[in-house]
Each structure stands twice: as C-alpha cells, then as structure tokens.
Amino acid sequence: MKEKRWIIREDYDIETVRNLAASLNVDPIIATLLVERGVTTFEEARRFFRPGLDQIHDPFLMKGMKQAIERINEAIRKQERIMVYGDYDVDGTSAVALVYSYFKELDNNIDFYIPDREREGYGISYQGIDYARETGVRLIIALDCGIKAMDQVDYAAGFGIDFIIGDHHLPDEVVPKAVAVLDPKQSDCPYPYKELSGCGIGFKIVEAHLEQRLGVRLCDLPEQLDASRLQRQEELKLRLLKYLDLVAVSIASDIVPIMGENRVLAYFGLRVLNTKPRAGIEAILKYGHVDRRKTDQADSADKAEKKSGYFEKELTITDLVFLVGPRINAAGRIRSAFDSVRLMLTDDVAIARRLAEDINNYNLERKDLDTSATEEAKRRIDNDPFYRGRQSLVLYDPNWHRGVVGIVASRIVEAYNKPTIVFTMGTDGLITGSARSVKEFDVHEALEKCADLLEHFGGHKCAAGVSLKKENMRDFLDRFERLVQEGMGHEELAPEVEIDAEIGFSNITPKFLRILKQFAPFGPDNNVPVFVTRELVDTGSARIVGTNHLKLSAIPISERTAPYPAIAFQMSYCYDRIHRGDRFDLCYQLEENYWRGRTEIQLNVKDIKFCD
C-alpha cells in the first residue's frame, strides 16, 4: 500500500491569525481554521458562525433573471403550458421538484420531464422536446443542464417553444439562444457567487419570482422597511424556507463548495430536514436506519433503538451524501428518475413509503452492479500490462451499466489516485462514460483539448461526462494520457492527506469542541478539520473490529491527558505494531460517536505513521 503524504496547511498569514484570535477571544488553532477558510475579520466570523437568509445575494443580479421572470409571468398570464425539465441525478431531480412545486401552486398548466438515462442520455434531449411539443408546451425551464444545448434549443424554437436555461456547469463562449440563460459561471454574469448547485439556480428563480409577487426582497435592510413590508419580508423567508431542504440535498450530493451562499442555504436546509422533513425524505431516511421520532429520555431512546434498529440523530451533510443522495440517484440510474421527483413532491405518507421502498430496492440493485463492475475494472488494471506505468486509467466495457460508470470511476480514483474515465456503450452507437479526477488535474480542461475527438462532454474540474465514436477511442487514449502526464508529471503521486493543524490532546477542551461544532455544515472548501497529534501509544485496548477496522485508545507519551477512543477504518494492518506498544503519529478528525443514547468524542483516524 502506497504511503500517504501528509501536507500541513500553511496557506495563511500568522499575524492575521493572531489578530483574529484576539478579536474573537478564541484559541489560535480555531483562528487558524477560520483564516484557512477565508474568514479573516470579526465581521466575517460573525457571518460565518451566524448564517442568515439576509446574507444570500439578490437573485436579480444574475444575468438573465429579469428576462426569465418576465417570460414565466407571461406564460402564466396567457395560460401557456410550462414544462420543468431536469437532469436525472439528485441535483436535477431536486431542482425540478422545487421549481415545479412552487409554480404548481400558481398554475395547474404545468408539467415536468426527466430524460431516460439509457434512451436519451444526459442533458436536453430531442425526445423531451418532442414530448413538450405533443403536449402543447410553450415554455421549458431547464435545470442542471442545457448550457451547451445549442442545437436542441434551436430545434424547440422551430415549434414555437421557448427555453429558460438554469445551469451551473461551465459554459462555452457561445451559449444557446434561449429567452434567458441563468448560469453564474458565464464570464459576463455579475452574480457574486459562482458555485450554486443546479437546484440552487432553481431556488434563485423561485426567490426572484416570490420577491416580485410580495414586493420585498431578502436583501432589503429592516431599517429601510415599514411595518407592512417587514411583515412581508418575514413571510418571504418562511415561504422560501420550505424549499431549502431540497437545496441542501442537492448541495451535499453534487459536491459543491459549502462556503459563502451555499453554506447559508445548506445551514437552513439542514434545519428544515432536522425539524420538519418532507414525507419523501422522511421515508428514505428510514432505509438509512435514521428515525426522526423524538423521545424525552435517553433510556427510552435506547430501548426504541434496540427494538426497531433505528436511531435518532441530527442530520448532517455527510448523512445526505451517504444516506439520501445515493438512493435518490439510484432511481435514475436503474429505472426512472420520475420516481425521485414524485418522492420529493408527495405529501402523502403512504405514497412516500411505497416510492421510498422502490427507490431503496433500486439502490440495492445499483450496489450490486457497481460492485461487480468495480471489481472487474480493478482486475484489468492490476493484470493488464497496458495499464502499467500509465498516469491515466481509461476503461471500457459495453456490458457495464450506464448508471454506475460514474460511481465506478470514483472508486478507481480512490484506489489508484489517477484521473480515470470509465466507458460503456451508450445510445446511437456512441461510447459514453464518466470522468473523475484527482485534485492536481483539471479533467474538464483536458477534455476541451480533446474536443475534436469527442461528440459531447461537459462538467467541471473534478468530474465530467463524455461520449465519443468507437473509432476515436485509440487516439483519445493516447492524447488523454499525454495531457495527464504533462499536467501531473510522469511519477505516480502518492495519495495525500491535507492537515489543518498540529495539536495536542490538551487543546481539545470543551470550548474548543463547542466552537468546532459551529463550523458545520461541513463540505468542500469547509471540510471537517483534520488534525495531527504526535508521539502517541495505545493504552492496550487495540483490537480489530468488523473485517479489517482497528479500534484503539490513544494517549500521548509527553502529555498528562486522558486517552481518546479512536476508530481507523480499513487499517487492521496496523494492529500488530500498535498492540506491541510502538509509538505513532495520528492524523484524524474529531467526531461525536452516538451509541445507545450516549455521545462520546472519538478520533476518526485518516492515517497512522509509526515513529520508528
């Protein structure tokens, strides 16, 4: 197993840390964590620790928003049929559920559409436009897709169908000729925040429309409003809050940064999920063994867990990533993403439970498919001489399910730490696949340099979708490998662990832990802090749990502090040395371990290095 590189962050100014620690009266380590996240002043820290809906940006700053709202209002006024169109993943389906449910309250003459992954592929399809034409649609609101659909938008225009495109993927220099293109990543878009999810773009459409209806904006300062407008601003906040659970699910599942506006949206979305989740999310959570039932006594909670196998917990972004996102995604991967939208739309508990059961079954099927494909892919990489010495991994099998190639690519990157593309047979005789990358390499930029060999591609730095003709595969393999070598060098890079700070166990005080919790919600650009503590030994409790996990109790040699329990997943290979008392350095995250009504702080180990 290749040893991981430990990279201790030093991308901050010491004087800025000292000043911030003094102004906030916090441990310098806390101040360091804040500065690493771009928080350098008292006011920025206040906004970071106290998110408010007044911190999100005016939706009308987004290029095209005024035109989009005018066209939607025109459609409603003229009773034109509207269709909300979205991608089949979590981000797309949650965006469709959000925008459709809002406008459904205003106008019954509305429909939604999700393309079939197998028959239609990613993005706006001609089949979807044909369906719109056949059902009398005059306006399509496309979400989480469409930024490169020049031909499809022109095709729809031939039938008198207008498009509003709400996307967050990287645009080309030329964008489709839609009524409005909403994408903050357009070079001339003045919207201050560029990292919204597709569902986040849908939320901004709803926010803009509701602000116009109520005649007040979230960004209006209270001191500038009279009593009537203050009341309407509070109504605006309440009416928008009910959609933020969907935005939080999309933010978590689409792996967008959780700083700035996304952090505010995720914060309030989690609050909704933890207090009054919609019926569909509630139903899905039970398949992750999370029950939102409230109990007054720890003992009664303990008994309920033992009896039912469920546990009550505060939902986090991580829970959405692992418990909710994969299940919602599975419908579009295995069967039909229409089921995911219906799940998020329904208020009927019985219907939600039936849909959740179906979707959970799809997820079980998806697990079998991606496990078998991943195992086969690893066998090829390990046994085929073709892959030896290559810096990129490009695999193709016509029998792999299209719905799991992205997951397989992610697993290959985790195992080999190389930019990876996994292909299978797609529609219209094209080979289609998903690319995943390591942080040192921009896979989208590389695909742009291969554009002449490709039929379609789109995505961002770390992940992309791509399709090409079979006869272009060999040339693509060679060029992509060359680009990876040019971008990363010829030497294989060891996986790395980025460490926020070196601390001793004496730094882990109740105040430190209390403030650390307030850094949540965690995610990209605001990951759970990673610490390193040196010169530790085990107290003698080390044991292997499960198949290959290591449980231990770590205590410093040079500090008089209590030991901390630690869990090291997939690290049973360290057991012998730890058991015999060898000293080690530990790289870890601090977490609360909830078990049978009790909570304790434990170390979630990311890596172990022995001192001799």
Side-chain angles (χ1 to χ4, degrees):
M1 180 175 293
K2 191 180 286 276
E3 185 175 288
K4 295 178 180 176
R5 296 177 295 155
W6 289 12
I7 310 296
I8 298 180
R9 293 184 65 171
E10 296 178 342
D11 53 337
Y12 55 86
D13 178 69
I14 296 295
E15 192 61 32
T16 302
V17 169
R18 290 196 187 110
N19 292 338
L20 187 61
S23 66
L24 296 177
N25 188 28
V26 296
D27 188 307
I29 295 166
I30 293 291
T32 298
L33 298 177
L34 288 168
V35 173
E36 287 173 346
R37 286 152 179 77
V39 177
T40 60
T41 67
F42 181 91
E43 178 58 24
E44 288 172 349
R46 184 192 67 79
R47 291 168 66 87
F48 181 83
F49 287 124
R50 298 289 181 269
L53 286 178
D54 59 336
Q55 295 174 18
I56 68 178
H57 302 294
D58 181 352
F60 286 100
L61 292 175
M62 194 176 295
K63 180 184 178 183
M65 186 62 77
K66 180 175 179 291
Q67 293 85 346
I69 299 303
E70 287 176 351
R71 181 64 184 91
I72 291 170
N73 285 336
E74 179 187 357
I76 293 173
R77 188 174 64 254
K78 292 182 176 179
Q79 296 186 314
E80 293 178 331
R81 189 161 179 78
I82 300 172
M83 185 169 83
V84 184
Y85 185 112
D87 187 25
Y88 38 64
D89 68 0
V90 179
D91 194 16
T93 53
S94 60
V96 168
L98 191 158
V99 173
Y100 174 85
S101 61
Y102 170 77
F103 285 109
K104 181 72 172 175
E105 294 178 0
L106 304 177
D107 186 1
N108 272 323
N109 197 18
I110 188 168
D111 197 1
F112 70 85
Y113 188 91
I114 308 291
D116 182 272
R117 183 189 288 264
E118 289 294 322
R119 296 194 309 271
E120 299 171 66
Y122 169 77
I124 295 169
S125 69
Y126 292 104
Q127 295 96 316
I129 295 170
D130 289 340
Y131 173 80
R133 174 175 56 83
E134 291 162 5
T135 55
V137 169
R138 285 291 170 265
L139 174 63
I140 297 175
I141 304 172
L143 301 166
D144 191 36
C145 60
I147 196 62
K148 296 188 177 184
M150 267 73 75
D151 293 342
Q152 291 89 333
V153 170
D154 290 344
Y155 178 75
F159 302 118
I161 300 172
D162 287 337
F163 258 95
I164 293 169
I165 291 174
D167 204 347
H168 69 131
H169 296 100
L170 289 168
D172 292 330
E173 289 185 14
V174 179
V175 297
K177 296 176 182 176
V179 169
V181 175
L182 310 173
D183 187 338
K185 291 188 174 75
Q186 293 179 90
S187 59
D188 58 346
C189 178
Y191 195 75
Y193 190 72
K194 306 297 183 182
E195 302 299 334
L196 291 169
S197 65
C199 187
I201 302 291
F203 175 79
K204 301 307 290 189
I205 294 172
V206 168
E207 180 192 350
H209 195 269
L210 191 53
E211 284 184 347
Q212 189 182 81
R213 286 173 60 200
L214 294 178
V216 69
R217 302 179 304 167
L218 284 179
C219 59
D220 287 337
L221 298 175
E223 56 267 26
Q224 297 175 340
L225 304 178
D226 58 27
S228 172
R229 294 186 70 206
L230 267 174
Q231 186 176 3
R232 278 180 279 150
Q233 190 182 59
E234 288 305 308
E235 181 187 352
L236 174 65
K237 291 178 182 178
L238 287 173
R239 293 180 68 171
L240 288 174
L241 270 174
K242 72 176 184 178
Y243 300 109
L244 289 180
D245 56 345
L246 295 177
V247 180
V249 169
S250 81
I251 287 171
S253 302
D254 221 52
I255 321 296
V256 293
I258 305 187
M259 285 293 284
E261 188 166 12
N262 276 345
R263 188 169 188 275
V264 177
L265 297 173
Y267 176 88
F268 285 100
L270 283 169
R271 179 181 290 183
V272 174
L273 285 162
N274 279 300
T275 54
K276 194 177 180 181
R278 62 187 61 217
I281 302 296
E282 180 94 23
I284 278 288
L285 284 170
K286 292 187 177 180
Y287 287 98
H289 299 289
V290 176
D291 193 342
R292 304 306 306 144
R293 294 171 302 182
K294 297 293 181 184
T295 52
D296 295 327
Q297 303 292 330
D299 287 342
S300 61
D302 191 14
K303 291 174 184 176
E305 286 167 20
K306 289 179 180 177
K307 184 176 180 180
S308 68
Y310 295 109
F311 59 91
E312 181 190 328
K313 70 189 298 292
E314 180 113 348
L315 288 172
T316 66
I317 291 293
T318 300
D319 295 318
L320 301 184
V321 169
F322 290 104
L323 301 182
V324 178
R327 289 177 168 85
I328 293 176
N329 249 338
R333 294 184 187 277
I334 302 300
R335 193 66 57 85
S336 170
F338 276 83
D339 284 347
S340 296
V341 178
R342 294 185 187 105
L343 178 80
M344 290 182 272
L345 287 174
T346 187
D347 294 323
D348 189 304
V349 172
I351 292 174
R353 287 174 178 168
R354 177 178 58 76
L355 287 168
E357 181 179 9
D358 290 343
I359 285 173
N360 189 63
N361 288 335
Y362 300 151
N363 191 51
L364 295 174
E365 184 179 349
R366 185 273 306 168
K367 284 183 178 180
D368 290 340
L369 289 168
D370 86 59
T371 298
S372 62
T374 300
E375 290 174 353
E376 172 59 24
K378 287 181 177 180
R379 276 194 296 271
R380 292 186 191 180
I381 295 166
D382 294 338
N383 299 324
D384 189 337
F386 173 80
Y387 293 104
R388 290 174 194 161
R390 292 184 75 87
Q391 290 298 88
S392 66
L393 297 172
V394 180
L395 301 108
Y396 166 69
D397 192 311
N399 297 314
W400 287 337
H401 195 286
R402 285 189 67 195
V404 302
V405 291
I407 300 172
V408 175
S410 295
R411 299 200 195 289
I412 297 300
V413 170
E414 288 173 9
Y416 298 92
N417 199 50
K418 296 179 180 181
T420 299
I421 308 178
V422 178
F423 284 104
T424 189
M425 182 56 67
T427 56
D428 301 325
L430 296 177
I431 293 175
T432 186
S434 288
R436 298 292 183 270
S437 194
V438 295
K439 75 173 189 176
E440 296 90 351
F441 186 71
D442 188 332
V443 72
H444 186 272
E445 183 180 291
L447 293 176
E448 285 183 326
K449 294 176 180 178
C450 299
D452 58 304
L453 300 173
L454 306 176
E455 298 302 303
H456 309 287
F457 73 93
H460 48 81
K461 179 179 178 179
C462 296
V466 58
S467 63
L468 74 166
K469 294 177 180 177
K470 192 170 185 178
E471 56 264 30
N472 289 334
M473 179 61 90
R474 171 54 65 179
D475 289 341
F476 174 75
L477 279 169
D478 293 342
R479 191 185 302 179
F480 187 71
E481 170 67 14
R482 187 174 71 251
L483 290 166
V484 173
Q485 289 187 6
E486 290 171 356
M488 296 178 58
H490 292 266
E491 294 298 319
E492 289 191 20
L493 292 179
E496 67 180 42
V497 181
E498 190 173 80
I499 297 165
D500 288 272
E502 183 172 335
I503 65 172
F505 282 3
S506 58
N507 293 114
I508 308 173
T509 64
K511 180 181 178 181
F512 181 86
L513 292 168
R514 188 171 64 252
I515 297 175
L516 204 60
K517 283 184 70 174
Q518 294 177 51
F519 275 70
F522 295 108
D525 287 2
N526 182 36
N527 288 309
V528 178
V530 177
F531 302 108
V532 62
T533 300
R534 311 282 186 184
E535 295 279 325
L536 303 169
V537 292
D538 179 59
T539 60
S541 65
R543 65 190 189 278
I544 295 174
V545 296
T547 54
N548 60 347
H549 310 313
L550 179 64
K551 262 289 225 188
L552 62 150
S553 182
I555 190 167
I557 292 174
S558 58
E559 285 186 281
R560 292 185 176 180
T561 61
Y564 274 98
I567 180 71
F569 294 106
Q570 314 293 330
M571 294 187 202
S572 60
Y573 56 86
C574 294
Y575 169 77
D576 288 341
R577 294 194 64 179
I578 286 177
H579 180 65
R580 76 186 185 204
D582 287 2
R583 294 173 300 127
F584 54 89
D585 298 339
L586 212 58
C587 177
Y588 59 90
Q589 296 170 335
L590 289 164
E591 67 179 17
E592 289 183 336
N593 182 36
Y594 181 89
W595 178 247
R596 295 183 173 176
R598 296 174 181 82
T599 301
E600 69 173 0
I601 300 300
Q602 76 170 2
L603 315 181
N604 187 328
V605 178
K606 301 291 123 181
D607 199 22
I608 299 171
K609 286 191 177 180
F610 291 96
C611 299
D612 47 21

